[in-house]
Amino acid sequence: MTDQQWVPGAPEATCLHLDCLWQPSEDDPAGRFVFELRNTGAMPVDGFRLAFTTLRFVERDPSANNARLLDRRGYFHEVAPPDGFRFVSGGVWRFSLGGITGEPLHRGEGIVSAYLTEADGERRTVAVGDLRREFPEQRIASGAASASPFALMPWPANVELMPSDRIPGYLVPADGATAEELSAVSSVMALFRRLFPTDPAPFSLMALPGDLLLRFAVDASLGREAYRLEFGADAVLITTADAAGCQHALMALGQLLRGARAGDGFRFPAGGHIVDRPRFAWRGCHLDTARRFFPVGDIARFLDCLAYLRINVFHWHLTDDEAWRLEIGGYPELTSAGSLRGPGAPLPPQLGDGAQASGGFYSHADVRALVSHASHLNIEIVPEIDIPGHSTAALAALPALADPAEPAGAYASVQGFANNALNPAIDLTWTMLEAVFDDLATLFPSPYLHVGGDEVAHGAWQSSPLAVRLMADLGLDGAEALQSHFMRRVQAMLRKRGRQLAGWNEVGNGEGVDAEGTLLTVWQKAAIGAGLARRGYDIVMAPAEAYYLDIAHSNGWDEIGMSWAGATSLETAYAYEVGDDIPAEILPRLRGIQACLWTELVDSRAHFNHLVFPRLAAVAEAGWTPAANKNWERFSMLNRFRPSM
Ligand code: ACM
């Protein structure tokens, strides 16, 4: 995207959390900073130093309590605990510093960033909370409570809440919380701070008067991703069976508090409960990073947005005609040549490209950072290498992939790319794919590797003498039969690596592949999905007419976006009900639903936000909320709380 990125890479998962309280003091005219550093990791940390930055820097005589100031230059500080301090898992180091330069007036004038240096020199990022101070007065909610005063998104399965006219300060784990529970709260706090940097964070790990305590319980009978919240006057009880459920519970709490702070009739609950579980196990969103390159920081932020909406599968479209974006060991040309477009570059300029060549690809280190970020957010990344069609970039990077006797322009894809299918009669196709699947299986823990399979041109391979001979040898008739053969061989390669095949619905064309363990993303007519499910394929429904986010919101001339699948207003996206398309007897094959964003026209952050949000929230609610609980009026009122890029 064109805008500058604030975060250069994926935020690191942290297992340390620093809170800071500003306190008035008789000895210090500008008051003191009281710090609490928590070890939210599973291991003790010894012999460390803590570095942090703050605008309100500490001057020469810090009158330090329970800490030594080792260094201070500008806004940078480094402190150490007293000798012999043992920082156990779940433990806290409290210390304070005086001598600060002026009384802070805003919550952003506390700790801006922090890291810890271990005895062996290893550095670790520390999550930081809002600067806290004590307020004598209770916060009162503003505006008359609206008809649906709880800012929850997606809406839960079961909500029985009484609105409060008071707003808690921060949501804080009660004493006795485990390191894992503290870490969960710290992570969701960090997510809110990244998504909504101008809002106060909902969570803190430092309890002050006016805060609401969080207590945690485990109930294995709740099931995956489920949670229960019971609201009392002094505490909320969070019951879950797994880490994803805990994240969803904390997200709901953070949303409730963010809504109540926004006023306008939104409230935090005074009592009652939420009992919630997902409608579908697969709540996906696809992003085409081939047509448009998104820096790692943008993908990381998109993952944050998905986590907020409880979307738990990121379908990462990594290759297409316009570019190959994934580093592959042994085939540097795929990315050096296959990701570069422009005048004189290996690939010609495509939509949005101008006089300057541009490109970009994801290194293995980039992918590892994003996979780690996603897994920390309980999101699975399903990578897609789109084969055998949509392969112009690979063919341009490695010309030996083409049959030299196939005439130029023998066939063209629907997008106008000539001779763009990998050729199954060429040995290099298979040696290259071995390397591709080796890397995919090493980099991505998902049980599924998505291999595309969409839109292979009807005329593909018919003019390649090598492919024609292969078809004759195998007794195959036509492109569909050869594609089926191709995909069966791919399926065997994936199985050898312990992975299952995912593909677009065309993978089921003709003979298809072995349906056992295969998942198909259905983007064409819904009836195709039902037919595939009847043949034993698992399906994820991504109907272009409702869930393709690149399609324009309306047919108005001034609207922007694609039009080949009509127009999709927010209300149309919200109204689509997958249960109407998939008969009850094959529902067990329906794994879930998915939004897709193709990016041919998406050349700015503004355009991205316009297309994706708010409709992604509609897909998210369809994936999470029981059909009977969907409510357009409530949804349209709550959509203002959505995240954006
Ligand atoms: C697709 O839209 N070609 C999957």
Side-chain angles (χ1 to χ4, degrees), residues 379-451:
I379 293 173
E380 179 178 321
I381 300 188
V382 177
E384 179 189 351
I385 298 297
D386 198 353
I387 54 170
H390 287 279
S391 291
T392 300
L395 286 152
L398 297 169
L401 284 170
D403 178 348
E406 184 178 60
Y411 62 91
S413 71
V414 64
Q415 288 90 2
F417 290 91
N419 298 10
N420 72 338
L422 294 183
N423 194 324
I426 302 248
D427 287 344
L428 180 61
T429 298
W430 301 105
T431 41
M432 179 199 75
L433 288 179
E434 293 282 355
V436 169
F437 296 143
D438 277 346
D439 280 2
L440 288 181
T442 306
L443 291 169
F444 295 95
S446 167
Y448 291 104
L449 300 179
H450 201 292
V451 288

Side-chain angles (χ1 to χ4, degrees), residues 15 24 51 104 123 133 155 225 229 231 244-245 258 266 301 333 347 359 380 406 411 503 508 510 519 527 624 632 634:
C15 48
R123 294 201 177 87
R133 57 163 287 188
W155 195 254
E225 299 197 75
L229 293 174
F231 292 84
R258 187 166 165 255
F266 290 97
R301 182 167 178 92
E333 308 87 341
L347 293 164
E380 179 178 321
E406 184 178 60
Y411 62 91
L519 182 141
W624 182 274
W632 165 246
R634 181 196 63 219

Side-chain angles (χ1 to χ4, degrees), residues 286-304:
H286 149 288
L287 178 66
D288 168 10
T289 61
R291 273 60 176 264
R292 194 75 47 194
F293 180 70
F294 296 81
V296 170
D298 281 339
I299 307 273
R301 182 167 178 92
F302 194 49
L303 290 167
D304 285 348

Side-chain angles (χ1 to χ4, degrees), residues 17 36 42 53 111 164 249-250 356 395 469 480 495 506 636:
H17 178 106
E36 290 185 358
T53 64
I111 308 308
S164 173
L250 290 166
Q356 298 290 333
L395 286 152
R469 190 172 332 129
E480 208 164 71
R495 284 182 170 165
E506 292 99 315
S636 20

Side-chain angles (χ1 to χ4, degrees), residues 281-286 306 311-315 379-380 382 594:
W282 185 296
R283 306 177 305 279
C285 185
H286 149 288
L306 301 188
I311 290 174
N312 64 347
V313 177
F314 175 54
H315 173 165
I379 293 173
E380 179 178 321
V382 177
Q594 181 168 303

Side-chain angles (χ1 to χ4, degrees), residues 574-587:
Y574 192 78
Y576 175 74
E577 170 44 44
V578 70
D580 296 343
D581 280 333
I582 305 298
E585 74 275 10
I586 47 170
L587 266 183

Side-chain angles (χ1 to χ4, degrees), residues 286 291 315 317 320 384 386 390 414-415 450 452 454-455 504-506 521-524 542 544 548 550 564 596 598:
H286 149 288
R291 273 60 176 264
H315 173 165
H317 190 76
D320 214 300
E384 179 189 351
D386 198 353
H390 287 279
V414 64
Q415 288 90 2
H450 201 292
D454 58 323
E455 296 181 316
W504 298 104
N505 56 245
E506 292 99 315
T521 319
V522 181
W523 65 284
Q524 292 173 314
Y548 264 31
D550 54 323
W564 65 265
C596 295
W598 302 98

Side-chain angles (χ1 to χ4, degrees), residues 309-549:
L309 296 170
R310 302 211 186 111
I311 290 174
N312 64 347
V313 177
F314 175 54
H315 173 165
W316 190 1
H317 190 76
L318 283 159
T319 73
D320 214 300
D321 291 304
E322 288 90 335
W324 182 287
R325 302 289 188 196
L326 180 66
E327 176 188 354
I328 300 295
Y331 293 90
E333 308 87 341
L334 280 173
T335 41
S336 61
S339 73
L340 201 59
R341 296 197 306 251
L347 293 164
Q350 294 295 344
L351 293 161
D353 297 334
Q356 298 290 333
S358 68
F361 67 89
Y362 305 101
S363 68
H364 289 185
D366 293 338
V367 172
R368 283 199 192 91
L370 286 167
V371 167
S372 156
H373 185 60
S375 107
H376 199 61
L377 296 168
N378 295 293
I379 293 173
E380 179 178 321
I381 300 188
V382 177
E384 179 189 351
I385 298 297
D386 198 353
I387 54 170
H390 287 279
S391 291
T392 300
L395 286 152
L398 297 169
L401 284 170
D403 178 348
E406 184 178 60
Y411 62 91
S413 71
V414 64
Q415 288 90 2
F417 290 91
N419 298 10
N420 72 338
L422 294 183
N423 194 324
I426 302 248
D427 287 344
L428 180 61
T429 298
W430 301 105
T431 41
M432 179 199 75
L433 288 179
E434 293 282 355
V436 169
F437 296 143
D438 277 346
D439 280 2
L440 288 181
T442 306
L443 291 169
F444 295 95
S446 167
Y448 291 104
L449 300 179
H450 201 292
V451 288
D454 58 323
E455 296 181 316
V456 176
H458 290 302
W461 305 308
Q462 309 303 316
S463 308
S464 153
L466 291 172
V468 168
R469 190 172 332 129
L470 179 68
M471 283 190 271
D473 290 350
L474 297 170
L476 299 173
D477 184 18
E480 208 164 71
L482 189 53
Q483 167 159 5
S484 179
H485 165 80
F486 185 104
M487 282 303 185
R488 282 174 182 266
R489 190 160 168 186
V490 164
Q491 183 172 43
M493 292 163 84
L494 299 183
R495 284 182 170 165
K496 209 173 81 192
R497 291 163 176 82
R499 302 308 171 95
Q500 290 156 251
L501 185 149
W504 298 104
N505 56 245
E506 292 99 315
V507 169
N509 287 357
E511 289 278 295
V513 297
D514 181 6
E516 179 65 37
T518 299
L519 182 141
L520 299 182
T521 319
V522 181
W523 65 284
Q524 292 173 314
K525 292 196 184 351
I528 292 177
L532 291 169
R534 285 207 172 83
R535 287 168 57 197
Y537 293 104
D538 284 342
I539 55 167
V540 166
M541 294 296 283
E545 296 76 15
Y547 290 171
Y548 264 31
L549 302 173

